[in-house]
Amino acid sequence: MSMGALHATLLRDLLRTEGTDDAEKLALRFETTRASLSPMQQGLAGWDRHRLAEIDAAIRDVPAPYETEDRDWHFKRALDTAKLRDPELLRAFADTGTLLATAEETFTDPALAEKVAELGRKAPHYSDPGPSRAELLAAVAGTAV
C-alpha cells in the first residue's frame, strides 16, 4: 500500500505540472518514477524471495535451515527479530516498512546498525511465538498453568 501511495503521489505531482493534454509526454515523464521506486520494489522482492525459500525449507523439513550469503537478507532478518526488543529499532523498522525512509537513510548511524546486529544475533531464529493456547486461556481465566 505504501508503494501505491507513493506512486499515486508522484502521478499527482506530475499532473499538476504537465496536465493531460499530451498523453505521450505524460507517459514518458511518468516513466521516470521507476528510478525512485525500483530500488524499494527490488528490496521488497529480495525479502520475499529469501523468506519464501526459508519457509519452503521449513516445510520440506530439510536437515539444515535455509542459508544465503546475502548480507542484506541477514541484516533484515536480524532487524525483524531485534525490533521486538528495542523501541528505537521498532520505529526504524516501521519507517522502512512503510517506505517513509530507505534502510540506507534509516541506518546511517553505525550504533543503530550495531544494535540490530547485537540484538538480532542473541535472539532465536524465529520471533517469540507468544503464549500457548493453554497459557492464554489460563491468563484470561486468571489462573496459572
Side-chain angles (χ1 to χ4, degrees):
M1 288 180 18
S2 297
M3 180 89 60
L6 282 173
H7 214 212
T9 302
L10 292 169
L11 178 59
R12 179 208 60 201
D13 293 347
L14 181 61
L15 288 171
R16 286 181 177 166
T17 60
E18 295 298 324
T20 57
D21 294 337
D22 187 346
E24 183 178 359
K25 181 179 178 184
L26 180 64
L28 291 172
R29 291 285 313 275
F30 193 57
E31 173 64 20
T32 62
T33 63
R34 182 184 309 249
S36 58
L37 297 179
S38 285
M40 293 178 208
Q41 188 277 330
Q42 289 170 358
L44 293 169
W47 168 268
D48 289 347
R49 183 179 64 253
H50 288 297
R51 184 64 182 120
L52 289 172
E54 186 179 57
I55 291 168
D56 185 51
I59 289 170
R60 289 183 291 120
D61 199 25
V62 295
Y66 172 74
E67 287 297 327
T68 179
E69 297 298 318
D70 186 341
R71 292 174 52 120
D72 188 47
W73 163 252
H74 290 290
F75 182 82
K76 288 177 182 176
R77 192 74 180 88
L79 176 60
D80 192 45
T81 302
K83 73 180 186 235
L84 301 175
R85 291 164 171 73
D86 184 275
E88 185 179 22
L89 294 180
L90 181 58
R91 282 189 296 277
F93 179 83
D95 285 349
T96 58
T98 57
L99 305 179
L100 292 173
T102 65
E104 292 77 18
E105 293 166 340
T106 304
F107 294 99
T108 55
D109 179 4
L112 193 60
E114 180 55 38
K115 191 185 290 190
V116 170
E118 181 65 23
L119 291 174
R121 185 173 32 249
K122 291 179 180 177
H125 186 68
Y126 292 102
S127 301
D128 297 334
S132 68
R133 178 174 170 75
E135 292 166 334
L136 181 61
L137 292 174
V140 169
T143 60
V145 175

